[in-house]
Amino acid sequence: MISIIIPVYNVEEYIKECLDSLLMQTYKDLQILIVDDGSTDKTMDIVKDYEDKFEDFTILYQKNQGVSVARNTAFDYIKGEYTIYIDPDDFLELDMLENMYNRAEKVNVDIVISEYYVYYDEKDSRNYIEKYMIDPRRIYNNYEVMNLMLNYELQGQLWNKFFRTELLKQIEFKFEPHRYIQDAFPVFKAIHLSKGIAFIDKPLYYYRQRATSTVHKKNAKLAEDYYFAMSSIINYIEDKNIKVDKKSLNIFRIKVLSHFIAHYTNAHEENNLKSFKESKYNELSVKNKDFLFLNEISKDDKLKLFLWNCGLYPVLKKIKNR
């Protein structure tokens, strides 16, 4: 059995497509766990229409507390040998779960990861496939995949990752409440403690892009939560003395700072290098010599970081946005 956890909140426009893609899966032994996070639109009216269409379909209710709490609520109800978390505005290829299950069973790994579609609309020219530079025939160890994450060659989101439930139970796979970015650190921890990871080199999941999505918001909390998630990974590596590749960890620090600068300067117009240095975020700082000669860092990131270290980035950003 595969347990599927879906937190829902005001997604009446998308939830039917999501549930239809589950209903038509070629793999049928499913446990559906819906957690209503206090929806106020017609989402739950649509969800209830599916109760009799699945063999094992459970709806859990909570006051609006966010996606992390919703996922944590569902955790104690998991019955399947494998678990996958999906977002209610996304949908799956109809053979996704069969492919994931068969791969996990065949090579006896704790995690299977697939490629995915970045999806705007059916005929939108911006649609593309997120591909990984991996060998799909191989079984990867935890250190190899942690280094992929540190090199930003693998993202930390949940929904394209298929977990052995025993692993999740062993590590108490829970999410930090009330955070916009809550999955990267638990996923990194699961990868570290896994006994093997396999990949499927074809896209099986449609990751929908919405302008109103949480990850597209521009505010101070998003900057804070990004910092919390990424620093949690760095602190975990250091606290556990995990022997990841030093160059990969350096690349991670550099790219984290580059991404953080965008969140930080978007959050408040007055945010600049001076306020950054006076804050806890200063621990993310990197020196010019750490990135200028690294081929793995893009020219755009190098320019952004160089301007940031010179105190010029916020000024030039304001000029550009006029």
Side-chain angles (χ1 to χ4, degrees), residues 12 23 42 86 251 278:
E12 61 182 3
L23 188 62
K42 296 180 180 179
I86 66 175
I251 289 170
E278 293 171 351

Side-chain angles (χ1 to χ4, degrees), residues 10-28:
N10 289 357
V11 283
E12 61 182 3
E13 186 177 349
Y14 306 106
I15 188 63
K16 185 179 188 302
E17 187 170 22
C18 175
L19 292 176
D20 281 344
S21 75
L22 292 175
L23 188 62
M24 294 185 286
Q25 286 293 307
T26 54
Y27 182 92
K28 297 297 185 183

Side-chain angles (χ1 to χ4, degrees), residues 190-214:
I191 288 170
H192 171 232
L193 297 172
S194 69
K195 295 177 181 176
I197 301 102
F199 288 83
I200 295 176
D201 63 337
K202 64 178 180 178
L204 297 174
Y205 189 92
Y206 290 82
Y207 172 40
R208 191 187 302 273
Q209 303 299 292
R210 291 196 289 149
T212 57
S213 175
T214 295

Side-chain angles (χ1 to χ4, degrees), residues 174-187:
K174 295 292 182 73
F175 303 89
E176 185 73 18
H178 315 302
R179 297 282 185 185
Y180 283 145
I181 301 169
Q182 13 60 31
D183 44 4
F185 174 55
V187 166

Side-chain angles (χ1 to χ4, degrees), residues 264-305:
Y264 185 66
T265 53
N266 281 336
H268 292 296
E269 194 170 299
E270 64 272 18
N271 280 352
N272 55 33
L273 183 61
K274 183 177 183 296
S275 62
F276 174 85
K277 286 186 173 181
E278 293 171 351
S279 73
K280 64 182 178 181
Y281 306 132
N282 189 48
E283 67 181 47
L284 296 177
S285 295
V286 295
K287 297 178 180 178
N288 290 340
K289 66 180 179 65
D290 294 331
F291 61 81
L292 283 176
F293 304 105
L294 272 180
N295 293 331
E296 293 83 357
I297 306 301
S298 70
K299 291 180 181 179
D300 286 346
D301 278 342
K302 287 178 181 178
L303 179 60
K304 180 198 292 185
L305 291 166

Side-chain angles (χ1 to χ4, degrees), residues 9 19 21 53 90 111-112 114-115 148 152 236 239-240 249 253 271 275-276 307-308 320:
Y9 177 73
L19 292 176
S21 75
K53 297 179 181 180
D90 299 336
I111 303 172
V112 178
S114 79
E115 296 174 346
L148 287 175
Y152 269 67
Y236 179 77
D239 292 345
K240 299 290 184 182
L249 183 56
R253 290 179 182 275
N271 280 352
S275 62
F276 174 85
L307 292 172
W308 176 255
K320 183 179 178 181

